[in-house]
Amino acid sequence: MFIYHRILLCCFILIFFNTSHGQVHDPSWRRIINKQDKEWFASDEAQTIADNVLLYQRDIGGWPKNTQMQKLLSPEEKEKLKALKQSTDDVTTDNGATIQELLFLSKMYRATKNATYKEAWIKGLHYIFEAQYENGGWPQFYPLRKGYYSHITYNDNSMVNILKLLQQVKNKTDYYAVPVSDADVKRAEEAFNKGIECIVKTQYKQNGALTAWCAQHDVKTLAPAKARSYELPSLSGAESAEIVWLLMSIENPSEAVKNAIVHAVSWFKKVKIEGLKVERKFDETIQKRNTIVVEDDDATPVWARFMELDDNTPFFCDRDGIKKATLAEIGYERRNGYAWYTQNPQKVIDKFPEWKAKHYEKPSKKVKDAYNVTVAKDGSGDYTSIQEAIYASKAFPYQRVIINIKDGVYNEKVHVFSWNTHVSFLGESKENTIITFDDYFSKIDLGRNSTFLTSTVLIEGDYFLAKNLTIQNTAGPVGQAVALSVNANNCFFENCNLKGYQDTVYTAGEGFKQYFKNCFIEGSTDFIFGEATVLFDDCVINNKTNSYITAASTAKNETFGYVFKNCKLTADVGVNEVYLGRPWRKYAKTVFINCDMGNHILPVGWHNWKNKEAESTSFYAEYNNTGIGFKPNERVSWSHQLAKKQAKKYTINNILGNQFFENLNQHD
């Protein structure tokens, strides 16, 4: 018997040796894509595989998933793929599809400069643009398929992989070798930003506190959604980790993004599982390798793939969709065919202190003159962001704080607080010193007053002054989106561009006085609105759509509301039906004096906002205007054409007060 076993063992060794050395293990498609050998991508072997990749790409631009592109194709298989070119049935970004093929083609183009690879790559990029939902998310399959495939898909990092690609494109890195047009770079930036907005909006709130994300979210409600029978609405330890890792890579994150990261990391720390270890061991009972969970005090923390939405309890599911408390309770196939635990959140937790130090724990700066500082994007000034300079400014200073802003695009929300009085923003040039952001009503989504939280620049400190710069809200035609909000007294803006769509400039504060001189202000609906007394002098007022210029909400006892003197009213091409104003509140006051009105101004001039009472309580008037749009005889009967004597009272001192400039300059 002993000799028999010795012979059997020798035979087994010989067979194993021959088979292990004789057979050739084909490398996987993923391994081929991630080859570091640049020269290989110029080889005949690589180009043969690239031919396959081009064949598998559908006309719409994407690829099917789970395909070993490197496998040799017979003539018949190639013909079948050619016949499938127009099909869109299985085009997806799931399981790395499309993204990994684009990476391969990029490496091929870098090695060969073959224009065919470039064209295919650009087509794939356009497929990604096309597949994005308006709310910023991406489905698992596009064109859309019925069922869970249409959910916003974080599962298996589908959407994160897309955003990583777009991040490289928008940042113009050389990670992808294919040259991209400026238009596509802009589209990539817009798509990336919308995707990040979607991520922020879908972060799940548990008892009012932000936590993490589900593997998929409903495209309409944004709520956690079910996918396959064992993928129930839940909080995901695996996908959420990759989402946060992406958010932490953003160079200048918004407050919303930073808030999302902080809360997610807090949640990761809260729900980590200690004292358990996941192992794959040979099970004598079933004669197969089996996944088991064992107790181990020294085990590295793990996180469950699925956790309950209400209390973070881990759960496990078989294909019957019935929740189980432990992994051991589900069948062998699902227990071993799915990743139920992950360690990925640990890398986020480990990275978080460094990220927090960069974005929150700013080292104090020593400046030569605290009352005269410079902001420059390139680091040549005292600060690199405007808000950083404001944080460092003295409260209620005894002299004016001058913040010189060098040319550059400052993508940030700026808040001049009520204690930051006598602050000046002096831009290097109106055209190239740009403060920009893109918040809008439904993005803020904090109730009926969300408009007032959308502003790119919010001024609450009295005696504020700004010159030679642009303030804009680039959200576009998506509803209320304020560029400049001035809720302060004695504020002066000169030679500034103020750009947006709906609600561009909000002039707040009952009894407050504000002055805009030689400014360009553009928007669509009610793009100059509010209750302050404001003089617009020598300004260009440009309409982007057919709508209303002003929406004053002047207080009842105020003598003046909005006064436009020596202004030019213009409009974009095709705009031809614009009202001078309508009353946001019934005592609205708006007057145009010595203004040049384009032919886009409607003959009736004014609108009552469907409030008949406002016709007798509001005050809308004009004097000595010019241009095709000035048709005094056709104005609504309840508006006024001032007499010369009446117009004389509209002087700068009467409107703003004798002390306006004295108060503005008293600390200079």
Side-chain angles (χ1 to χ4, degrees):
M1 181 65 71
F2 175 75
I3 294 173
Y4 172 77
H5 280 291
R6 288 285 301 272
I7 293 171
L8 190 62
L9 178 62
C10 289
C11 290
F12 174 77
I13 292 171
L14 286 170
I15 292 170
F16 175 78
F17 180 85
N18 287 331
T19 56
S20 63
H21 287 265
Q23 69 184 29
V24 177
H25 296 283
D26 289 334
S28 71
W29 175 226
R30 195 178 299 275
R31 284 180 58 194
I32 290 173
I33 293 167
N34 290 291
K35 273 179 176 284
Q36 299 301 313
D37 183 1
K38 296 179 181 178
E39 287 72 23
W40 179 86
F41 287 92
S43 69
D44 291 342
E45 181 185 7
Q47 292 183 54
T48 298
I49 295 173
D51 289 342
N52 289 355
V53 173
L54 295 174
L55 274 174
Y56 275 106
Q57 186 182 28
R58 302 295 167 78
D59 288 344
I60 197 174
W63 282 264
K65 67 177 179 178
N66 301 334
T67 304
Q68 294 298 312
M69 300 279 174
Q70 78 281 13
K71 299 234 179 214
L72 291 175
L73 295 172
S74 67
E76 293 76 17
E77 288 172 323
K78 290 180 180 180
E79 289 303 314
K80 286 181 180 179
L81 287 174
K82 290 177 182 178
L84 285 172
K85 277 289 185 180
Q86 294 183 0
S87 173
T88 60
D89 289 345
D90 54 357
V91 185
T92 182
T93 55
D94 190 31
N95 288 1
T98 298
I99 304 301
Q100 59 190 13
E101 280 74 42
L102 288 175
L103 178 57
F104 178 80
L105 287 178
S106 168
K107 291 183 176 184
M108 290 299 301
Y109 181 76
R110 191 188 301 275
T112 67
K113 293 298 182 289
N114 186 328
T116 304
Y117 304 142
K118 172 185 173 182
E119 292 167 6
W121 196 95
I122 294 297
K123 185 189 290 187
L125 177 64
H126 288 176
Y127 167 75
I128 289 170
F129 291 152
E130 181 66 26
Q132 188 177 29
Y133 284 128
E134 185 59 35
N135 63 18
W138 275 270
Q140 187 179 129
F141 283 80
Y142 184 82
L144 298 178
R145 291 169 57 175
K146 291 182 179 180
Y148 69 84
Y149 306 106
S150 63
H151 291 326
I152 295 168
T153 304
Y154 299 127
N155 193 35
D156 293 330
N157 307 317
S158 177
M159 186 161 148
V160 167
N161 290 337
I162 292 170
L163 289 169
K164 284 180 178 178
L165 181 145
L166 294 175
Q167 188 177 42
Q168 298 289 346
V169 174
K170 81 177 185 68
N171 290 342
K172 298 182 180 180
T173 70
D174 64 350
Y175 184 80
Y176 293 99
V178 176
V180 178
S181 68
D182 289 344
D184 280 344
V185 169
K186 184 178 180 181
R187 286 185 73 183
E189 181 175 14
E190 292 171 350
F192 179 84
N193 291 339
K194 285 174 65 176
I196 297 301
E197 288 175 22
C198 181
I199 286 175
V200 171
K201 283 186 177 182
T202 50
Q203 189 173 17
Y204 185 74
K205 279 188 177 180
Q206 186 183 87
N207 300 320
L210 290 171
T211 57
W213 292 262
C214 184
Q216 50 279 319
H217 288 251
D218 185 271
V219 66
K220 294 181 179 178
T221 67
L222 304 186
K226 178 184 176 183
R228 289 174 287 190
S229 58
Y230 51 89
E231 295 171 331
L232 303 179
S234 60
L235 294 173
S236 166
E239 280 79 10
S240 295
E242 296 306 313
I243 289 171
V244 178
W245 191 256
L246 171 69
L247 295 180
M248 291 171 71
S249 73
I250 298 174
E251 187 62 31
N252 294 303
S254 67
E255 290 300 319
V257 168
K258 291 194 289 185
N259 191 47
I261 294 169
V262 169
H263 282 86
V265 171
S266 176
W267 181 81
F268 285 142
K269 293 177 179 178
K270 178 180 177 181
V271 302
K272 69 179 178 181
I273 301 169
E274 297 180 297
L276 293 182
K277 186 176 182 181
V278 182
E279 294 184 341
R280 287 272 291 164
K281 286 189 173 182
F282 186 79
D283 190 323
E284 293 286 351
T285 306
I286 60 175
Q287 291 293 297
K288 294 179 181 179
R289 290 180 66 82
N290 195 15
T291 303
I292 61 173
V293 179
V294 298
E295 293 186 3
D296 184 346
D297 292 339
D298 297 324
T300 303
V302 294
W303 284 259
R305 180 72 174 263
F306 301 128
M307 287 168 263
E308 295 282 10
L309 293 170
D310 57 353
D311 62 6
N312 308 312
T313 301
F315 68 84
F316 309 86
C317 265
D318 221 321
R319 292 188 181 273
D320 58 8
I322 299 173
K323 294 180 183 178
K324 303 293 183 181
T326 65
L327 186 60
E329 294 177 71
I330 66 174
Y332 176 85
E333 185 267 334
R334 278 298 81 198
R335 184 165 67 250
N336 292 278
Y338 204 70
W340 294 98
Y341 289 96
T342 180
Q343 294 180 347
N344 285 353
Q346 190 61 52
K347 72 175 184 178
V348 173
I349 292 172
D350 292 342
K351 181 75 173 177
F352 182 69
E354 178 186 339
W355 177 87
K356 184 179 178 183
K358 178 180 179 181
H359 295 287
Y360 280 103
E361 299 166 6
K362 298 288 186 182
S364 59
K365 283 182 174 282
K366 291 183 179 180
V367 297
K368 294 179 181 179
D369 183 355
Y371 293 100
N372 196 327
V373 300
T374 298
V375 177
K377 291 288 290 183
D378 61 5
S380 61
D382 300 300
Y383 306 99
T384 56
S385 78
I386 300 166
Q387 193 62 51
E388 188 181 6
I390 295 167
Y391 286 146
S393 297
K394 294 179 181 293
F396 305 108
Y398 289 108
Q399 68 184 75
R400 180 163 286 279
V401 176
I402 299 173
I403 300 176
N404 300 283
I405 307 172
K406 293 291 187 180
D407 282 350
V409 178
Y410 298 85
N411 189 10
E412 56 178 307
K413 283 176 77 76
V414 175
H415 188 175
V416 178
F417 303 96
S418 60
W419 53 85
N420 294 126
T421 58
H422 294 92
V423 168
S424 290
F425 284 1
L426 302 185
E428 185 173 359
S429 70
K430 179 174 67 174
E431 295 77 15
N432 299 312
T433 303
I434 301 170
I435 309 172
T436 184
F437 211 74
D438 59 359
D439 273 349
Y440 53 94
F441 187 97
S442 58
K443 176 181 175 182
I444 296 293
D445 196 22
L446 289 174
R448 64 187 302 166
N449 295 313
S450 294
T451 300
F452 306 106
L453 302 175
T454 64
S455 52
T456 299
V457 175
L458 169 59
I459 309 299
E460 293 182 326
D462 293 343
Y463 314 115
F464 176 83
L465 184 151
K467 293 183 179 182
N468 309 328
L469 50 80
T470 292
I471 298 170
Q472 63 187 25
N473 188 314
T474 58
V478 293
Q480 299 95 322
V482 180
L484 171 65
S485 179
V486 189
N487 191 5
N489 197 19
N490 268 94
C491 296
F492 179 40
F493 297 81
E494 183 176 11
N495 196 37
C496 294
N497 289 326
L498 307 171
K499 298 181 177 182
Y501 273 78
Q502 185 172 345
D503 296 356
T504 304
V505 177
Y506 175 41
T507 60
E510 185 176 333
F512 287 175
K513 307 295 177 67
Q514 298 158 14
Y515 184 24
F516 293 78
K517 182 175 178 59
N518 191 29
C519 291
F520 176 84
I521 307 171
E522 76 170 6
S524 58
T525 301
D526 304 333
F527 62 97
I528 301 173
F529 70 112
E531 64 268 27
T533 294
V534 187
L535 173 60
F536 299 90
D537 189 3
D538 279 313
C539 295
V540 175
I541 311 298
N542 186 67
N543 278 82
K544 296 187 72 63
T545 64
N546 290 327
S547 198
Y548 311 85
I549 297 175
T550 65
S553 55
T554 319
K556 181 177 182 180
N557 297 320
E558 290 296 322
T559 305
F560 303 96
Y562 285 160
V563 179
F564 294 82
K565 295 187 71 175
N566 309 308
C567 293
K568 186 176 181 64
L569 278 53
T570 62
D572 285 359
V573 175
V575 176
N576 54 16
E577 295 182 0
V578 172
Y579 292 91
L580 295 171
R582 58 178 179 171
W584 183 18
R585 295 294 179 268
K586 65 181 181 180
Y587 296 106
K589 292 182 174 68
T590 303
V591 177
F592 286 84
I593 298 174
N594 298 329
C595 293
D596 180 7
M597 299 183 173
N599 62 3
H600 60 293
I601 301 300
L602 286 165
V604 293
W606 309 92
H607 193 280
N608 66 8
W609 210 331
K610 298 182 180 179
N611 182 358
K612 189 69 175 177
E613 183 186 0
E615 294 183 6
S616 59
T617 55
S618 62
F619 184 80
Y620 286 139
E622 300 170 75
Y623 174 75
N624 199 37
N625 294 319
T626 58
I628 299 174
F630 180 51
K631 297 183 178 180
N633 295 327
E634 298 182 48
R635 295 296 193 239
V636 292
S637 60
W638 44 274
S639 68
H640 307 271
Q641 295 298 320
L642 300 178
K644 185 175 182 179
K645 183 177 181 180
Q646 293 173 305
K648 283 184 176 180
K649 74 174 184 178
Y650 288 88
T651 66
I652 188 168
N653 285 340
N654 284 344
I655 298 166
L656 300 177
N658 294 326
Q659 303 299 311
F660 182 86
F661 286 103
E662 184 178 335
N663 292 334
L664 195 67
N665 299 323
Q666 64 180 337
H667 287 355
D668 284 355

